[in-house]
Each structure stands twice: as C-alpha cells, then as structure tokens.
Amino acid sequence: MLQRSPRLSPHRSALLALLLIVPAQMIGTLMSLVIAPGTIGQTVLFLTKGWMLLLPIAWFLWVDRQPVSVPKPGQRELIAGTILGLAMATIILAAYWLIGRHWINSAEVRREAQRVGVLMPVLYLAGASFWIFINSLLEEYVWRWFVYRKCEVLVPGMAAVFLSALLFTLHHIIDLSVYFTDWRVIGLGSLAVFAAGATWSGCYLVYRSIWASYVSHLLADGAIALVGWHLLFV
C-alpha cells in the first residue's frame, strides 16, 4: 500500500519557494532586455510576472496551508511609510541632481527608451503611473510578503532583512546594466536598491504587513519617475 510522502521541512520548503520565484524575475528581465527584446522577450516577461504573482498565493494556500487575510493599514504604518518615502525621494532627487546627472549619459538612456517604446511623453506617463501605484504594490506582495517571509524561515531577524534585500537587488542590477554603461551609476544604483529593499523588509519585520513599505516604495518610485522624465524629455 502506497504511503503519502512526508511534507518538506520548513527550511527545505522555504528554500524551494525561493528557488522557484527569485530566478523567474531574472529570467524575465534578461529575456525582455538582453536576450530577445521585442515580442518574444515581452511574452517571457509576461509569463514570469504571472508566475511570480500566482506562486505566492498558491504556495500560501496549498503548501503552507494558512488562511488568507489582508490586514488593514494602521495609522502608524502609513505615517512611517510616508516619512521613509519622503526621505528616500529626497535622497534620490538630491543624488541625481548633485551626482547622477553628471555621470549619466542621457543620450544612451533615450536610445534604450526608444528601443523599448517609451520615448513619448504620454506613454512614459502611463508607464510611470503603473510603475508607481501598481507595480510597487505587486513588488511588495512578492518581495516582502513572500520572499522576505521565506528568508525569515532560513535565517533570523536582520539576516533575513539583508538576504531578502540581496535577492531583490539581483534583477535590478540587470536593469541598470542595460540602461547605463558607467560602472559608477550601476554600482551606486545597485547599492541604493539594496538599501531600499533592506528598509522595506525592515518595515515588514516591524509591522508584519506591506503597507508601510508600499507607501514609501511608491514615493521613491515617484522620485525615480521624475528623474526619468528629466533624462528623457528635458
């Protein structure tokens, strides 16, 4: 008589979850920006995005077997997220104005933007709006609610914060390497992404919800969108 195979240990389950979701983002980014930009790359990116959106909730329900609940945002979380987001936005804009605009080759950025089809103000604003309000929420759902929690199973406390921030940074390094050639911009940008990822994972560690990190994330992305507008259209 066949017996049911034993369930994976929490550590093995968390590691498997990370192996299934973290490379997906890198594959989608590589295909869409480097290996096969165009229809094929965008199709792969769409499929990997779908995988990343569906896997966490499916894992939560059928592997972790936990009930789904969406905590309401608390006042303290929203205030903390707003303060952090405004601080991040200020740092981003100041760093660009003082350093970045002297290092970044805007002609290269415009060529890459034209290649991916966003070198029109209307399209840029539409894409930026999606990125600020929707994509930031989806990233918090994937990278803090799911990835950070799985890192927390593997390593405790602040170690999980830094591990999840590192995993969050990997695909951004690819993005930065495509749009910029100056190693200083790539290095500084990667360090900034890591710091932001650590901050947002820290928010989840404190509040056990994504609302503080979401608010600060969308404000930071808003500052990045302003930088992009200046590079492309000013």
Side-chain angles (χ1 to χ4, degrees):
M1 184 174 179
L2 294 175
Q3 295 182 345
R4 292 181 62 185
S5 59
R7 293 179 62 183
L8 291 173
S9 69
H11 276 66
R12 289 185 176 181
S13 176
L15 182 58
L16 178 59
L18 292 175
L19 289 174
L20 288 174
I21 200 163
V22 174
Q25 179 71 74
M26 298 179 67
I27 291 169
T29 302
L30 280 170
M31 287 297 295
S32 63
L33 295 179
V34 180
I35 298 173
T39 302
I40 294 176
Q42 290 300 316
T43 300
V44 173
L45 180 63
F46 176 80
L47 292 174
T48 56
K49 286 288 188 183
W51 171 260
M52 294 182 69
L53 292 178
L54 293 175
L55 178 66
I57 193 67
W59 197 277
F60 192 76
L61 291 172
W62 293 314
V63 178
D64 294 338
R65 299 177 186 176
Q66 296 183 24
V68 176
S69 63
V70 181
K72 294 180 180 180
Q75 185 177 19
R76 290 180 61 192
E77 295 170 68
L78 297 179
I79 293 173
T82 301
I83 293 172
L84 285 171
L86 290 175
M88 287 182 174
T90 301
I91 292 170
I92 290 167
L93 294 174
Y96 170 70
W97 190 254
L98 295 174
I99 301 173
R101 66 192 180 105
H102 303 296
W103 290 358
I104 296 172
N105 187 330
S106 58
E108 289 181 350
V109 177
R110 291 191 187 99
R111 282 196 298 270
E112 188 59 32
Q114 186 173 30
R115 187 174 71 89
V116 298
V118 294
L119 198 58
M120 291 179 59
V122 172
L123 293 178
Y124 181 84
L125 289 174
S129 298
F130 172 82
W131 214 256
I132 292 168
F133 295 102
I134 306 301
N135 189 72
S136 59
L137 178 61
L138 298 179
E139 285 200 335
E140 291 309 308
Y141 155 72
V142 172
W143 293 100
R144 257 56 70 180
W145 182 77
F146 189 69
V147 171
Y148 168 75
R149 282 156 54 106
K150 296 307 175 188
C151 290
E152 211 173 28
V153 175
L154 299 176
V155 291
M158 291 305 296
V161 167
F162 293 128
L163 176 58
S164 64
L166 175 62
L167 298 177
F168 178 64
T169 304
L170 294 177
H171 70 278
H172 286 91
I173 295 174
I174 300 172
D175 288 324
L176 290 164
S177 300
V178 169
Y179 283 96
F180 308 108
T181 56
D182 192 320
W183 64 268
R184 298 171 300 178
V185 176
I186 298 170
L188 185 60
S190 300
L191 182 61
V193 170
F194 177 83
T199 299
W200 295 328
S201 291
C203 286
Y204 194 91
L205 174 63
V206 172
Y207 296 106
R208 310 311 297 181
S209 80
I210 65 170
W211 295 115
S213 54
Y214 169 58
V215 171
S216 62
H217 196 153
L218 71 85
L219 289 171
D221 279 359
I224 294 171
L226 289 175
V227 170
W229 180 272
H230 188 268
L231 287 169
L232 295 177
F233 305 113
V234 177

